[in-house]
Amino acid sequence: MEATEQEAFILHSKPFKDNQLIVDLLTEQSGKVSAVVYTGKTQKSNKKGLLQPFLPLQVVLKGKGQLKNLSRIETSQRSYPLSGNYVFCGFYLNELLIKLLGEHIECPELFYQYKMSLQSLAEQQPVEQNLRSFEMTLLDELGQSFDFSDVFESQENYFYYILEEGFVPVLSKLNIPKYSREHLLAIAEERLEDERVLRTFKLLMRQVINNLLGGKPLNSRKLFTR
Amino acid sequence: MNFSPLVQELIDALKCLPGVGAKSAQRMAFHLLERNRTGGSKLSNALKNAMENIGHCQQCRTFTELDVCEICRNPKREIIQQLCIVESPADVIAIEQTGEFKGKYFILMGHLSPIDGIGPEDLGLDILSQLLNADHFKEIILATNPTVEGEATAHFIAELASKHNVNVSRIAHGVPVGGELEYVDGNTLSHALSGRKSYS
């Protein structure tokens, strides 16, 4: 069924037995998939150079179970050359996908956005907007997109975001971040030039993603805290 | 069929070795019991000693039963004021065998890998920071593996070192000796090209 060639990225790999790896892939047609790959003993058959993150691959997945076999791997183009802090951003994207996305769910939009984000990281464009649009696409994929209609209709100045309820006006004091209406409207309309709007957006995303992770820490964040 | 408890215990214990499954463990156990009892006792003693006494060198973090390992104690290694940062003790052996490097080492015991939960604090970077404060190094050579994680680790350490005003260099990557360009992957080749040296 899945013997067709498709584009994929390695998100993470870990050693398995001798000369084998289990890799987590983000693929164009099959979504996130785990697969076993034989890495070979000799220099010529060694595929480890290909099994690096951020390198666009053409792969063929075989097998009926959850865990596929990676039967063919070729590079389609050059790796996205991420340097310095941009690599940490790349790790952040990968960690989000590993920890939040379910397996075997087709997600072509997310795949496309992932490519765009890597491209923009490679070109060293400002990261904040880029990461936010990736997070938005991921939330769409997870069925957690924001519904701004309450914010548009309400006249309140500040809102809380509560999971499964959405934006609620600040009526009583809760111990969670509050967001200004003005900033939320800017986010809804994708007017992200203002620094303060971006900061609100980041806070909002952080709250939502932390909720989705259910208390699990996001390790790639630690790499930025300096 | 069940083996007697002691035999079974030995087989189960041997299975903790990498690449050893039930069948190999059984073969090893029987070999030791049938043919090589002295070798077996020696192994058990060595294992016990090693597990009880070997710790990490206070300076470079390599495995040693001493507080400070041989390389770190060697005064000749101080003179050149170079520090080579590698991922594992096996990398130290590999570099030592080349005979090219005469400075000191620092071993990270891994690389940054957020997904596996390995962050800066797991790599002993606080010890490295102390080391950079205490000793005066002219150069830090980053010899982490040429993987994405290795590069990220190298970058992280380079930033750390820049606070201490030390020169930082990264080992070159390119085509292996005796290799054939035809079989080298595109990434390595592009690194080899971009890092080319003038011919003199």
Side-chain angles (χ1 to χ4, degrees):
Chain A
M1 172 198 144
E2 289 180 87
T4 52
E5 198 174 63
Q6 58 174 326
E7 216 178 335
F9 285 93
I10 303 270
L11 299 176
H12 182 235
S13 58
K14 52 178 181 264
F16 176 62
K17 296 188 183 168
D18 291 351
N19 310 315
Q20 287 182 65
L21 289 175
I22 293 184
V23 292
D24 290 307
L25 299 150
L26 183 71
T27 65
E28 196 177 8
Q29 294 155 26
S30 329
K32 194 175 87 175
V33 180
S34 297
V36 178
V37 54
Y38 180 75
T39 50
K41 289 174 195 161
T42 61
Q43 195 72 46
K44 277 183 191 173
S45 64
N46 196 336
K47 295 186 201 125
K48 278 186 183 156
L50 287 179
L51 296 169
Q52 296 293 322
F54 318 129
L55 177 66
L57 299 170
Q58 291 290 333
V59 301
V60 177
L61 293 169
K62 283 189 178 160
K64 286 180 187 146
Q66 288 278 313
L67 191 64
K68 304 288 179 193
N69 266 309
L70 205 56
S71 65
R72 200 164 74 218
I73 327 165
E74 274 159 26
T75 42
S76 45
Q77 57 191 90
R78 264 198 66 183
S79 170
Y80 290 103
L82 306 189
S83 54
N85 285 327
Y86 296 93
V87 185
F88 301 152
C89 294
F91 283 159
Y92 175 71
L93 302 186
N94 285 1
E95 194 176 5
L96 281 183
L97 289 173
I98 292 276
K99 291 196 169 155
L100 293 177
L101 191 66
E103 287 200 346
H104 301 283
I105 305 161
E106 201 182 331
C107 49
E109 293 87 15
L110 186 60
F111 185 81
Y112 180 72
Q113 177 62 50
Y114 182 72
K115 263 172 80 170
M116 296 311 295
S117 293
L118 287 187
Q119 178 71 42
S120 129
L121 287 176
E123 287 166 3
Q124 314 211 333
Q125 288 171 10
V127 291
E128 293 292 335
Q129 293 197 24
N130 178 14
L131 294 183
R132 295 300 91 78
S133 39
F134 178 81
E135 288 161 346
M136 281 296 248
T137 319
L138 180 62
L139 289 188
D140 282 345
E141 193 57 51
L142 298 171
Q144 298 284 350
S145 350
F146 295 115
D147 179 5
F148 289 102
S149 53
D150 290 346
V151 184
F152 275 102
E153 285 160 16
S154 170
Q155 293 303 319
E156 292 291 329
N157 281 329
Y158 286 97
F159 292 84
Y160 289 130
Y161 184 79
I162 295 172
L163 202 67
E164 286 171 4
E165 283 185 41
F167 293 103
V168 290
V170 173
L171 297 175
S172 56
K173 201 166 158 47
L174 292 175
N175 195 17
I176 49 174
K178 60 180 182 182
Y179 310 102
S180 87
R181 177 167 190 268
E182 191 192 335
H183 291 177
L184 288 178
L185 292 183
I187 293 168
E189 288 160 0
E190 296 183 14
R191 291 180 279 114
L192 301 174
E193 293 78 29
D194 191 342
E195 278 284 312
R196 288 170 308 160
V197 174
L198 273 175
R199 221 172 299 140
T200 306
F201 202 177
K202 187 174 185 170
L203 263 178
L204 175 64
M205 274 302 179
R206 198 166 262 232
Q207 190 203 344
V208 177
I209 287 170
N210 282 345
N211 275 340
L212 290 174
L213 285 167
K216 274 187 282 180
L218 210 52
N219 297 308
S220 30
R221 274 190 197 144
K222 287 185 207 155
L223 299 176
F224 297 102
T225 51
R226 279 169 306 134
Chain B
M1 178 204 142
N2 283 337
F3 298 112
S4 69
L6 266 185
V7 178
Q8 190 60 48
E9 199 186 322
L10 175 60
I11 293 175
D12 288 343
L14 284 169
K15 279 199 284 193
C16 77
L17 292 166
V20 176
K23 217 51 187 180
S24 318
Q26 187 183 319
R27 208 175 58 238
M28 287 175 182
F30 286 165
H31 175 84
L32 291 178
L33 291 172
E34 270 173 44
R35 308 246 156 87
N36 203 349
R37 295 241 172 183
T38 44
S41 317
K42 232 170 120 182
L43 176 67
S44 78
N45 278 333
L47 260 178
K48 190 166 184 295
N49 272 334
M51 292 306 125
E52 280 174 4
N53 298 322
I54 293 180
H56 292 285
C57 168
Q58 285 168 3
Q59 288 184 18
C60 73
R61 304 224 303 156
T62 193
F63 292 121
T64 176
E65 64 270 34
L66 307 165
D67 287 341
V68 176
C69 74
E70 292 280 334
I71 292 180
C72 292
R73 281 198 297 179
N74 187 344
K76 284 182 192 159
R77 298 254 173 188
E78 300 259 353
I79 304 166
I80 196 153
Q81 294 182 331
Q82 283 179 333
L83 183 72
C84 181
I85 299 182
V86 294
E87 287 185 16
S88 75
D91 297 339
V92 174
I93 307 290
I95 294 179
E96 279 297 288
Q97 277 172 352
T98 66
E100 284 284 319
F101 182 70
K102 299 273 190 289
K104 287 187 174 185
Y105 292 94
F106 186 82
I107 296 138
L108 300 168
M109 298 282 171
H111 50 228
L112 288 179
S113 176
I115 295 173
D116 297 312
I118 301 174
E121 67 278 11
D122 302 301
L123 300 180
L125 295 188
D126 44 337
I127 304 177
L128 178 64
S129 206
Q130 284 167 18
L131 202 64
L132 292 180
N133 266 333
D135 284 356
H136 189 70
F137 290 106
K138 276 188 185 150
E139 186 184 4
I140 291 183
I141 302 171
L142 297 170
T144 51
N145 288 334
T147 57
V148 170
E149 288 90 351
E151 293 295 338
T153 313
H155 172 75
F156 197 92
I157 297 172
E159 295 231 310
L160 182 82
S162 68
K163 289 180 198 155
H164 295 271
N165 290 326
V166 194
N167 274 337
V168 183
S169 60
R170 177 89 175 103
I171 52 164
H173 22 191
V175 186
V177 175
E180 292 159 60
L181 289 193
E182 194 185 340
Y183 294 108
V184 174
D185 67 287
N187 254 336
T188 309
L189 260 185
S190 64
H191 273 302
L193 280 171
S194 63
R196 67 185 183 274
K197 282 200 222 168
S198 62
Y199 204 89
S200 55

